[in-house]
Amino acid sequence: MNEQLYKLLQKARKDFELRARIWAVKDAKDPALALCELCTAEGFPLTVGGLFSEQEEFFCNLFRSCNGSAVQPLEGWDDPFDMFFAAMEALEKE
């Protein structure tokens, strides 16, 4: 997971109001942008470009690591945005 998103998740562990604001991001017209804006507003600077370039680098490294150069990602190769919300779901169960 992205370092800034991890820090936001840690802050959300103790802040229920922040959790509600994070969940509201999913209903935004551009959820990735809304999440980055929220993250930045909470003191953890993050841009959409940074979020997607990190994902692209991760996928490229995985493709290069496969024998014969995989042409499609394997199931379960989630992006940082999806992984963040999966972690939020786990946080809600604590």
Coordinates of all heavy atoms in Angstrom, one line a residue:
M1 N 0.8 -1.2 0.0 CA 0.0 0.0 0.0 C 0.9 1.2 0.0 O 2.0 1.2 0.6 CB -0.9 0.0 1.2 CG -1.8 1.2 1.3 SD -2.8 1.3 2.8 CE -3.5 -0.3 2.9
N2 N 0.4 2.3 -0.6 CA 1.1 3.6 -0.7 C 1.4 4.0 0.8 O 0.5 3.9 1.6 CB 0.2 4.5 -1.4 CG 0.8 5.9 -1.4 OD1 0.8 6.6 -0.4 ND2 1.3 6.3 -2.6
E3 N 2.6 4.6 1.0 CA 3.0 5.0 2.3 C 2.0 6.1 2.9 O 1.7 6.1 4.1 CB 4.4 5.6 2.3 CG 4.9 6.1 3.6 CD 6.3 6.7 3.6 OE1 6.9 6.6 2.5 OE2 6.7 7.2 4.6
Q4 N 1.6 7.0 2.1 CA 0.7 8.1 2.5 C -0.7 7.5 2.9 O -1.3 7.9 3.9 CB 0.6 9.2 1.5 CG 1.9 9.9 1.1 CD 2.6 10.5 2.3 OE1 2.6 10.1 3.4 NE2 3.2 11.7 2.0
L5 N -1.1 6.6 2.1 CA -2.4 6.0 2.4 C -2.3 5.1 3.7 O -3.3 5.1 4.5 CB -2.9 5.1 1.2 CG -3.3 5.8 0.0 CD1 -3.7 4.8 -1.1 CD2 -4.5 6.8 0.3
Y6 N -1.2 4.5 3.9 CA -1.0 3.8 5.1 C -1.1 4.7 6.3 O -1.7 4.4 7.4 CB 0.4 3.0 5.1 CG 0.6 2.2 6.3 CD1 0.0 1.0 6.6 CD2 1.5 2.7 7.3 CE1 0.3 0.3 7.7 CE2 1.7 2.0 8.5 CZ 1.1 0.8 8.7 OH 1.3 0.1 9.8
K7 N -0.4 5.9 6.2 CA -0.5 6.8 7.3 C -1.9 7.3 7.6 O -2.3 7.5 8.7 CB 0.4 8.0 7.0 CG 1.9 7.7 7.1 CD 2.7 8.9 6.6 CE 4.2 8.6 6.6 NZ 5.0 9.8 6.1
L8 N -2.7 7.5 6.5 CA -4.1 7.9 6.6 C -4.9 6.8 7.3 O -5.7 7.1 8.2 CB -4.7 8.2 5.3 CG -6.1 8.7 5.2 CD1 -6.3 10.1 5.9 CD2 -6.6 8.8 3.8
L9 N -4.6 5.6 7.0 CA -5.3 4.4 7.6 C -5.0 4.4 9.1 O -5.9 4.1 9.9 CB -4.9 3.1 6.9 CG -5.5 1.9 7.3 CD1 -7.0 1.9 7.0 CD2 -4.8 0.7 6.7
Q10 N -3.7 4.6 9.4 CA -3.4 4.6 10.9 C -4.1 5.7 11.6 O -4.5 5.5 12.8 CB -1.9 4.7 11.0 CG -1.1 3.6 10.4 CD -1.6 2.2 11.0 OE1 -1.7 2.0 12.1 NE2 -1.9 1.3 10.0
K11 N -4.2 6.9 11.0 CA -4.9 8.0 11.7 C -6.4 7.6 11.8 O -7.0 7.9 12.8 CB -4.7 9.2 10.9 CG -5.3 10.5 11.5 CD -4.9 11.7 10.8 CE -5.5 12.9 11.5 NZ -5.1 14.2 10.8
A12 N -7.0 6.9 10.8 CA -8.4 6.6 10.8 C -8.7 5.5 11.9 O -9.9 5.4 12.3 CB -8.8 6.1 9.4
R13 N -7.7 4.8 12.3 CA -8.0 3.8 13.4 C -8.6 4.4 14.6 O -9.4 3.8 15.3 CB -6.6 3.1 13.8 CG -6.1 2.1 12.9 CD -4.9 1.4 13.4 NE -4.3 0.5 12.5 CZ -4.8 -0.7 12.3 NH1 -5.8 -1.2 13.0 NH2 -4.3 -1.5 11.4
K14 N -8.2 5.6 14.9 CA -8.7 6.3 16.2 C -9.7 7.4 15.9 O -10.2 8.0 16.8 CB -7.5 6.9 16.9 CG -6.4 5.9 17.3 CD -5.2 6.5 17.9 CE -4.2 5.5 18.1 NZ -2.9 6.1 18.5
D15 N -9.9 7.7 14.6 CA -10.8 8.8 14.3 C -12.0 8.4 13.5 O -11.9 8.2 12.3 CB -10.0 9.9 13.5 CG -10.7 11.2 13.3 OD1 -11.9 11.2 13.3 OD2 -10.0 12.2 13.0
F16 N -13.1 8.2 14.2 CA -14.3 7.7 13.5 C -14.9 8.7 12.5 O -15.5 8.3 11.5 CB -15.4 7.3 14.5 CG -15.0 6.1 15.3 CD1 -14.4 6.2 16.6 CD2 -15.1 4.8 14.8 CE1 -14.0 5.1 17.3 CE2 -14.7 3.7 15.5 CZ -14.1 3.9 16.8
E17 N -14.8 10.0 12.7 CA -15.2 11.0 11.8 C -14.4 10.9 10.5 O -15.0 11.0 9.4 CB -15.1 12.4 12.4 CG -15.7 13.5 11.6 CD -14.8 14.1 10.6 OE1 -13.6 14.1 10.9 OE2 -15.2 14.6 9.6
L18 N -13.1 10.7 10.6 CA -12.3 10.5 9.5 C -12.7 9.3 8.7 O -12.7 9.3 7.4 CB -10.8 10.5 9.9 CG -9.8 10.2 8.7 CD1 -9.9 11.3 7.7 CD2 -8.4 10.1 9.3
R19 N -13.0 8.2 9.3 CA -13.5 7.0 8.6 C -14.7 7.3 7.8 O -14.8 6.9 6.6 CB -13.8 5.9 9.6 CG -12.7 5.3 10.3 CD -13.2 4.1 11.1 NE -12.2 3.7 12.1 CZ -12.3 2.6 12.9 NH1 -13.4 1.9 12.8 NH2 -11.4 2.3 13.7
A20 N -15.6 8.1 8.3 CA -16.8 8.4 7.6 C -16.5 9.3 6.3 O -17.0 9.0 5.2 CB -17.8 9.2 8.4
R21 N -15.5 10.2 6.5 CA -15.1 11.0 5.4 C -14.4 10.1 4.3 O -14.5 10.4 3.1 CB -14.2 12.1 5.8 CG -15.0 13.2 6.6 CD -14.1 14.2 7.3 NE -13.1 14.8 6.5 CZ -11.9 15.1 7.0 NH1 -11.6 14.9 8.2 NH2 -10.9 15.5 6.2
I22 N -13.6 9.2 4.7 CA -12.9 8.3 3.8 C -14.0 7.5 3.0 O -13.9 7.4 1.8 CB -11.9 7.3 4.5 CG1 -10.8 8.2 5.1 CG2 -11.5 6.2 3.6 CD1 -9.8 7.4 6.0
W23 N -15.0 6.9 3.7 CA -16.0 6.1 3.0 C -16.8 7.0 2.0 O -17.2 6.5 1.0 CB -16.9 5.4 4.0 CG -16.3 4.2 4.6 CD1 -16.0 4.1 5.9 CD2 -15.8 3.0 4.0 NE1 -15.4 2.9 6.2 CE2 -15.2 2.2 5.0 CE3 -15.8 2.6 2.7 CZ2 -14.7 0.9 4.7 CZ3 -15.3 1.3 2.4 CH2 -14.7 0.5 3.4
A24 N -17.0 8.2 2.3 CA -17.7 9.1 1.4 C -16.9 9.3 0.1 O -17.6 9.6 -0.9 CB -17.9 10.5 2.1
V25 N -15.7 9.1 0.1 CA -14.8 9.3 -1.1 C -15.3 8.4 -2.2 O -15.3 8.7 -3.4 CB -13.3 9.0 -0.7 CG1 -12.5 8.6 -2.0 CG2 -12.7 10.1 0.0
K26 N -15.8 7.2 -1.8 CA -16.2 6.2 -2.9 C -17.4 6.7 -3.7 O -17.6 6.2 -4.8 CB -16.5 4.9 -2.2 CG -15.3 4.2 -1.7 CD -15.5 2.8 -1.4 CE -15.0 2.1 -2.7 NZ -14.9 0.7 -2.5
D27 N -18.2 7.7 -3.1 CA -19.3 8.2 -3.8 C -19.0 9.4 -4.7 O -19.9 10.0 -5.3 CB -20.4 8.5 -2.8 CG -21.0 7.3 -2.1 OD1 -21.0 6.2 -2.7 OD2 -21.4 7.4 -0.9
A28 N -17.8 9.9 -4.6 CA -17.4 11.1 -5.4 C -17.4 10.8 -6.9 O -17.3 9.7 -7.3 CB -16.0 11.5 -4.9
K29 N -17.5 11.9 -7.6 CA -17.4 11.7 -9.1 C -16.1 11.1 -9.5 O -16.1 10.3 -10.5 CB -17.6 13.1 -9.7 CG -17.6 13.1 -11.2 CD -17.9 14.5 -11.8 CE -17.9 14.4 -13.3 NZ -18.2 15.7 -13.9
D30 N -15.0 11.5 -8.9 CA -13.7 11.0 -9.2 C -13.1 10.5 -7.8 O -12.4 11.3 -7.1 CB -12.8 12.1 -9.8 CG -11.4 11.6 -10.2 OD1 -11.0 10.5 -9.8 OD2 -10.8 12.2 -11.0
P31 N -13.4 9.3 -7.5 CA -13.0 8.8 -6.1 C -11.4 8.8 -5.9 O -11.0 9.1 -4.8 CB -13.4 7.3 -6.1 CG -14.5 7.3 -7.1 CD -14.2 8.3 -8.2
A32 N -10.6 8.6 -6.9 CA -9.2 8.6 -6.7 C -8.7 10.0 -6.4 O -7.9 10.2 -5.4 CB -8.5 8.1 -7.9
L33 N -9.3 11.0 -7.1 CA -8.9 12.4 -6.8 C -9.4 12.8 -5.4 O -8.7 13.4 -4.7 CB -9.5 13.3 -7.9 CG -9.3 14.8 -7.7 CD1 -7.8 15.1 -7.6 CD2 -10.0 15.6 -8.7
A34 N -10.6 12.4 -5.1 CA -11.2 12.7 -3.8 C -10.3 12.1 -2.6 O -10.1 12.8 -1.6 CB -12.6 12.3 -3.7
L35 N -9.9 10.9 -2.8 CA -9.1 10.2 -1.8 C -7.7 11.0 -1.7 O -7.3 11.2 -0.6 CB -8.8 8.8 -2.2 CG -8.0 8.0 -1.2 CD1 -8.6 8.0 0.2 CD2 -7.8 6.6 -1.6
C36 N -7.1 11.4 -2.8 CA -5.9 12.1 -2.7 C -6.0 13.4 -2.1 O -5.2 13.8 -1.3 CB -5.3 12.2 -4.1 SG -4.7 10.7 -4.9
E37 N -7.1 14.1 -2.4 CA -7.4 15.4 -1.7 C -7.6 15.3 -0.2 O -7.1 16.1 0.6 CB -8.6 16.1 -2.4 CG -8.3 16.6 -3.8 CD -9.5 17.1 -4.5 OE1 -10.7 16.8 -4.0 OE2 -9.4 17.8 -5.5
L38 N -8.3 14.2 0.2 CA -8.5 14.0 1.6 C -7.2 13.6 2.3 O -6.9 14.2 3.4 CB -9.5 12.9 1.8 CG -9.8 12.4 3.2 CD1 -10.3 13.5 4.1 CD2 -10.7 11.2 3.3
C39 N -6.4 12.8 1.7 CA -5.2 12.4 2.2 C -4.3 13.6 2.4 O -3.6 13.8 3.5 CB -4.5 11.4 1.3 SG -3.2 10.4 2.0
T40 N -4.2 14.5 1.4 CA -3.4 15.7 1.5 C -3.9 16.6 2.6 O -3.1 17.2 3.3 CB -3.4 16.4 0.1 OG1 -2.8 15.5 -0.8 CG2 -2.5 17.7 0.1
A41 N -5.2 16.8 2.7 CA -5.8 17.6 3.7 C -5.5 17.2 5.1 O -5.4 18.0 6.0 CB -7.3 17.7 3.5
E42 N -5.3 15.9 5.2 CA -5.0 15.3 6.6 C -3.5 15.3 6.8 O -3.0 14.8 7.9 CB -5.5 13.8 6.6 CG -7.0 13.8 6.7 CD -7.6 14.4 8.0 OE1 -7.0 14.3 9.0 OE2 -8.6 15.1 7.8
G43 N -2.7 15.9 5.9 CA -1.3 16.0 6.2 C -0.4 15.0 5.5 O 0.8 14.9 5.9
F44 N -1.0 14.2 4.6 CA -0.2 13.2 4.0 C -0.3 13.4 2.5 O -1.2 12.8 1.8 CB -0.8 11.8 4.3 CG -1.0 11.6 5.8 CD1 -2.2 11.5 6.3 CD2 0.1 11.6 6.7 CE1 -2.4 11.3 7.7 CE2 0.0 11.4 8.0 CZ -1.3 11.3 8.6
P45 N 0.6 14.3 1.9 CA 0.5 14.7 0.5 C 0.5 13.5 -0.5 O 1.3 12.6 -0.4 CB 1.7 15.5 0.3 CG 2.2 15.9 1.6 CD 1.7 14.8 2.6
L46 N -0.5 13.5 -1.4 CA -0.7 12.4 -2.4 C -1.4 13.0 -3.6 O -2.3 13.7 -3.4 CB -1.5 11.3 -1.8 CG -1.7 10.0 -2.7 CD1 -0.4 9.4 -3.0 CD2 -2.6 9.1 -2.0
T47 N -0.8 12.7 -4.8 CA -1.5 13.1 -6.0 C -2.0 11.9 -6.7 O -1.5 10.7 -6.5 CB -0.5 13.8 -6.9 OG1 0.5 12.9 -7.3 CG2 0.1 15.0 -6.2
V48 N -3.0 12.1 -7.6 CA -3.5 11.0 -8.4 C -2.4 10.4 -9.3 O -2.3 9.2 -9.4 CB -4.7 11.5 -9.3 CG1 -5.2 10.4 -10.2 CG2 -5.8 11.9 -8.4
G49 N -1.6 11.3 -9.9 CA -0.5 10.9 -10.7 C 0.5 10.0 -9.9 O 0.9 8.9 -10.4
G50 N 0.8 10.4 -8.7 CA 1.7 9.5 -7.9 C 1.0 8.2 -7.5 O 1.7 7.2 -7.5
L51 N -0.2 8.2 -7.3 CA -0.9 7.0 -7.0 C -0.9 6.0 -8.1 O -0.6 4.8 -8.0 CB -2.4 7.3 -6.6 CG -3.2 6.1 -6.0 CD1 -2.7 5.6 -4.7 CD2 -4.7 6.6 -5.8
F52 N -1.2 6.5 -9.3 CA -1.3 5.6 -10.5 C 0.1 5.3 -11.0 O 0.3 4.1 -11.5 CB -2.1 6.3 -11.6 CG -3.5 6.3 -11.3 CD1 -4.3 7.5 -11.5 CD2 -4.2 5.2 -10.9 CE1 -5.6 7.5 -11.2 CE2 -5.6 5.2 -10.6 CZ -6.3 6.4 -10.7
S53 N 1.1 6.1 -10.8 CA 2.5 5.8 -11.3 C 3.0 4.7 -10.4 O 3.8 3.8 -10.9 CB 3.4 7.0 -11.3 OG 3.7 7.5 -10.0
E54 N 2.7 4.7 -9.1 CA 3.1 3.7 -8.2 C 2.5 2.3 -8.6 O 3.2 1.3 -8.6 CB 2.7 4.0 -6.8 CG 3.1 3.0 -5.8 CD 2.7 3.4 -4.4 OE1 3.0 4.5 -4.0 OE2 2.1 2.6 -3.7
Q55 N 1.3 2.4 -9.0 CA 0.6 1.1 -9.4 C 1.2 0.6 -10.7 O 1.5 -0.6 -10.9 CB -0.9 1.4 -9.7 CG -1.7 0.3 -10.3 CD -3.1 0.7 -10.6 OE1 -3.6 1.7 -10.2 NE2 -3.8 -0.2 -11.3
E56 N 1.5 1.5 -11.6 CA 2.1 1.1 -12.9 C 3.5 0.5 -12.7 O 3.8 -0.5 -13.3 CB 2.2 2.4 -13.8 CG 2.8 2.1 -15.2 CD 1.9 1.2 -16.1 OE1 0.7 1.1 -15.8 OE2 2.5 0.5 -17.0
E57 N 4.3 1.1 -11.8 CA 5.6 0.6 -11.5 C 5.5 -0.8 -10.9 O 6.2 -1.7 -11.3 CB 6.4 1.5 -10.6 CG 7.8 1.0 -10.3 CD 8.5 2.0 -9.4 OE1 8.0 3.1 -9.1 OE2 9.6 1.6 -8.9
F58 N 4.5 -1.0 -10.0 CA 4.3 -2.3 -9.4 C 4.0 -3.3 -10.4 O 4.6 -4.4 -10.4 CB 3.2 -2.1 -8.3 CG 2.9 -3.4 -7.7 CD1 3.7 -4.0 -6.7 CD2 1.6 -4.1 -7.9 CE1 3.4 -5.2 -6.1 CE2 1.3 -5.2 -7.3 CZ 2.1 -5.8 -6.4
F59 N 3.0 -3.0 -11.3 CA 2.6 -4.0 -12.3 C 3.8 -4.3 -13.3 O 4.0 -5.5 -13.6 CB 1.4 -3.5 -13.1 CG 0.1 -3.6 -12.4 CD1 -0.9 -2.7 -12.7 CD2 -0.1 -4.4 -11.3 CE1 -2.1 -2.8 -12.1 CE2 -1.3 -4.5 -10.7 CZ -2.3 -3.7 -11.0
C60 N 4.5 -3.3 -13.7 CA 5.7 -3.5 -14.6 C 6.7 -4.5 -13.9 O 7.2 -5.3 -14.6 CB 6.3 -2.2 -15.0 SG 5.3 -1.2 -16.1
N61 N 7.0 -4.2 -12.7 CA 7.9 -5.1 -12.0 C 7.4 -6.5 -11.9 O 8.2 -7.5 -12.0 CB 8.2 -4.6 -10.6 CG 9.1 -3.3 -10.6 OD1 9.8 -3.1 -11.6 ND2 9.0 -2.5 -9.6
L62 N 6.1 -6.7 -11.7 CA 5.5 -8.0 -11.6 C 5.6 -8.7 -13.0 O 5.9 -9.9 -13.1 CB 4.1 -8.0 -11.1 CG 3.9 -7.7 -9.6 CD1 2.4 -7.5 -9.3 CD2 4.5 -8.9 -8.8
F63 N 5.3 -8.0 -14.0 CA 5.4 -8.5 -15.4 C 6.8 -9.0 -15.7 O 7.0 -10.1 -16.3 CB 4.9 -7.5 -16.4 CG 3.4 -7.3 -16.5 CD1 2.9 -6.1 -16.8 CD2 2.6 -8.4 -16.1 CE1 1.5 -5.9 -16.9 CE2 1.2 -8.2 -16.2 CZ 0.7 -6.9 -16.5
R64 N 7.8 -8.2 -15.4 CA 9.2 -8.6 -15.7 C 9.6 -9.8 -14.9 O 10.5 -10.5 -15.3 CB 10.1 -7.4 -15.4 CG 10.0 -6.3 -16.4 CD 11.2 -5.3 -16.3 NE 11.0 -4.5 -15.1 CZ 10.4 -3.3 -15.0 NH1 9.9 -2.8 -16.0 NH2 10.4 -2.7 -13.8
S65 N 9.0 -10.0 -13.7 CA 9.4 -11.1 -12.9 C 8.9 -12.4 -13.3 O 9.3 -13.5 -12.8 CB 9.0 -10.8 -11.4 OG 7.6 -10.9 -11.2
C66 N 7.9 -12.4 -14.3 CA 7.3 -13.7 -14.7 C 8.1 -14.3 -15.8 O 8.6 -13.6 -16.7 CB 5.9 -13.4 -15.2 SG 4.8 -12.9 -14.0
N67 N 8.2 -15.6 -15.8 CA 8.9 -16.3 -16.9 C 8.1 -16.1 -18.2 O 6.9 -16.3 -18.2 CB 9.0 -17.8 -16.6 CG 9.9 -18.1 -15.5 OD1 10.9 -17.3 -15.2 ND2 9.7 -19.2 -14.8
G68 N 8.8 -15.7 -19.2 CA 8.1 -15.5 -20.5 C 7.3 -14.2 -20.6 O 6.6 -13.9 -21.5
S69 N 7.5 -13.3 -19.6 CA 6.9 -12.0 -19.6 C 5.3 -12.1 -19.7 O 4.8 -12.2 -20.8 CB 7.4 -11.1 -20.7 OG 8.7 -10.9 -20.6
A70 N 4.7 -12.1 -18.6 CA 3.2 -12.2 -18.5 C 2.6 -11.1 -19.3 O 3.1 -10.0 -19.3 CB 2.7 -12.2 -17.1
V71 N 1.5 -11.4 -20.0 CA 0.8 -10.3 -20.8 C -0.4 -9.8 -20.1 O -0.9 -8.8 -20.4 CB 0.4 -10.9 -22.2 CG1 1.6 -11.1 -23.0 CG2 -0.5 -12.1 -22.1
Q72 N -0.9 -10.5 -19.0 CA -2.0 -10.0 -18.3 C -1.7 -10.2 -16.8 O -1.1 -11.2 -16.4 CB -3.3 -10.8 -18.6 CG -3.8 -10.6 -20.0 CD -5.0 -11.4 -20.3 OE1 -5.4 -12.3 -19.5 NE2 -5.7 -11.1 -21.4
P73 N -2.2 -9.3 -15.9 CA -1.9 -9.5 -14.5 C -2.7 -10.7 -14.0 O -3.7 -11.0 -14.5 CB -2.4 -8.2 -13.9 CG -3.3 -7.5 -14.9 CD -2.9 -8.1 -16.2
L74 N -2.1 -11.3 -13.0 CA -2.8 -12.4 -12.4 C -3.9 -11.9 -11.5 O -3.9 -10.8 -11.0 CB -1.8 -13.2 -11.5 CG -0.6 -13.8 -12.3 CD1 0.4 -14.4 -11.3 CD2 -1.0 -14.8 -13.3
E75 N -4.9 -12.8 -11.2 CA -6.0 -12.4 -10.3 C -5.4 -12.1 -8.9 O -4.4 -12.7 -8.5 CB -7.0 -13.5 -10.2 CG -7.9 -13.7 -11.3 CD -9.0 -14.7 -11.1 OE1 -9.5 -14.8 -9.9 OE2 -9.3 -15.4 -12.0
G76 N -5.9 -11.1 -8.3 CA -5.4 -10.7 -7.0 C -4.4 -9.6 -7.0 O -3.9 -9.2 -6.0
W77 N -4.0 -9.1 -8.2 CA -3.0 -8.0 -8.3 C -3.8 -6.7 -8.2 O -4.2 -6.2 -9.2 CB -2.3 -8.1 -9.6 CG -1.2 -9.1 -9.7 CD1 -1.0 -10.2 -8.8 CD2 -0.3 -9.3 -10.7 NE1 0.0 -11.0 -9.2 CE2 0.5 -10.5 -10.4 CE3 0.1 -8.6 -11.8 CZ2 1.5 -10.9 -11.1 CZ3 1.1 -9.1 -12.6 CH2 1.8 -10.2 -12.3
D78 N -4.1 -6.3 -7.0 CA -5.0 -5.1 -6.8 C -4.1 -3.8 -6.9 O -3.0 -3.8 -6.6 CB -5.7 -5.3 -5.5 CG -6.6 -6.5 -5.5 OD1 -7.3 -6.7 -6.5 OD2 -6.5 -7.2 -4.5
D79 N -4.8 -2.8 -7.1 CA -4.2 -1.5 -7.1 C -4.2 -0.9 -5.7 O -5.0 -1.3 -4.9 CB -4.8 -0.5 -8.2 CG -6.3 -0.3 -7.9 OD1 -6.5 0.4 -6.9 OD2 -7.1 -0.7 -8.7
P80 N -3.4 0.2 -5.5 CA -3.3 0.8 -4.2 C -4.7 1.3 -3.7 O -5.0 1.2 -2.5 CB -2.3 1.9 -4.3 CG -1.5 1.5 -5.5 CD -2.4 0.7 -6.4
F81 N -5.5 1.8 -4.6 CA -6.8 2.4 -4.2 C -7.7 1.2 -3.6 O -8.3 1.4 -2.5 CB -7.5 3.0 -5.4 CG -8.8 3.6 -5.2 CD1 -8.9 4.9 -4.7 CD2 -10.0 2.9 -5.4 CE1 -10.1 5.5 -4.4 CE2 -11.2 3.5 -5.1 CZ -11.3 4.8 -4.6
D82 N -7.8 0.1 -4.4 CA -8.6 -1.0 -3.9 C -8.0 -1.6 -2.6 O -8.8 -2.0 -1.7 CB -8.7 -2.1 -5.0 CG -9.5 -1.7 -6.1 OD1 -10.4 -0.8 -6.0 OD2 -9.4 -2.2 -7.2
M83 N -6.7 -1.7 -2.5 CA -6.1 -2.3 -1.3 C -6.3 -1.4 -0.1 O -6.5 -1.9 1.0 CB -4.6 -2.5 -1.6 CG -4.3 -3.6 -2.6 SD -2.6 -3.9 -2.8 CE -2.3 -4.8 -1.3
F84 N -6.4 -0.1 -0.3 CA -6.6 0.8 0.8 C -8.0 0.6 1.3 O -8.3 0.5 2.5 CB -6.5 2.3 0.4 CG -6.9 3.3 1.4 CD1 -6.1 3.5 2.5 CD2 -8.1 3.9 1.3 CE1 -6.4 4.4 3.5 CE2 -8.5 4.8 2.3 CZ -7.6 5.1 3.4
F85 N -9.0 0.4 0.4 CA -10.4 0.2 0.9 C -10.6 -1.2 1.4 O -11.4 -1.4 2.3 CB -11.4 0.6 -0.2 CG -11.6 2.1 -0.2 CD1 -11.0 2.8 -1.2 CD2 -12.4 2.7 0.7 CE1 -11.2 4.2 -1.2 CE2 -12.6 4.1 0.7 CZ -12.0 4.8 -0.3
A86 N -9.8 -2.1 1.0 CA -9.9 -3.5 1.6 C -9.4 -3.4 3.1 O -9.9 -4.0 4.0 CB -9.1 -4.5 0.8
A87 N -8.3 -2.6 3.3 CA -7.8 -2.4 4.6 C -8.8 -1.6 5.5 O -8.9 -1.9 6.7 CB -6.5 -1.6 4.6
M88 N -9.5 -0.7 4.9 CA -10.6 0.0 5.6 C -11.6 -0.9 6.1 O -12.1 -0.8 7.2 CB -11.2 1.1 4.8 CG -10.3 2.4 4.7 SD -10.2 3.3 6.2 CE -11.9 3.8 6.5
E89 N -12.0 -1.9 5.2 CA -13.0 -2.9 5.6 C -12.6 -3.7 6.8 O -13.3 -4.0 7.7 CB -13.4 -3.7 4.4 CG -14.2 -3.0 3.3 CD -14.5 -3.9 2.1 OE1 -14.2 -5.1 2.2 OE2 -14.9 -3.4 1.1
A90 N -11.3 -4.1 6.7 CA -10.7 -4.9 7.8 C -10.7 -4.0 9.1 O -11.0 -4.5 10.2 CB -9.3 -5.3 7.5
L91 N -10.4 -2.7 9.0 CA -10.4 -1.8 10.1 C -11.8 -1.7 10.8 O -11.9 -1.7 12.0 CB -9.9 -0.4 9.7 CG -9.8 0.6 10.7 CD1 -8.7 0.2 11.7 CD2 -9.4 2.0 10.1
E92 N -12.8 -1.7 10.0 CA -14.2 -1.6 10.5 C -14.5 -2.9 11.3 O -15.4 -2.8 12.2 CB -15.2 -1.4 9.4 CG -15.0 -0.1 8.6 CD -15.3 1.1 9.5 OE1 -16.0 1.0 10.5 OE2 -14.8 2.2 9.1
K93 N -13.9 -4.0 11.1 CA -14.2 -5.2 11.8 C -13.5 -5.4 13.1 O -13.7 -6.3 13.9 CB -13.9 -6.4 10.9 CG -14.8 -6.5 9.6 CD -14.4 -7.6 8.8 CE -15.3 -7.6 7.5 NZ -14.9 -8.6 6.5
E94 N -12.5 -4.5 13.3 CA -11.7 -4.6 14.6 C -12.5 -4.2 15.8 O -13.4 -3.5 15.8 CB -10.5 -3.6 14.5 CG -9.4 -4.0 13.6 CD -8.2 -3.1 13.6 OE1 -8.2 -2.1 14.2 OE2 -7.2 -3.5 12.9

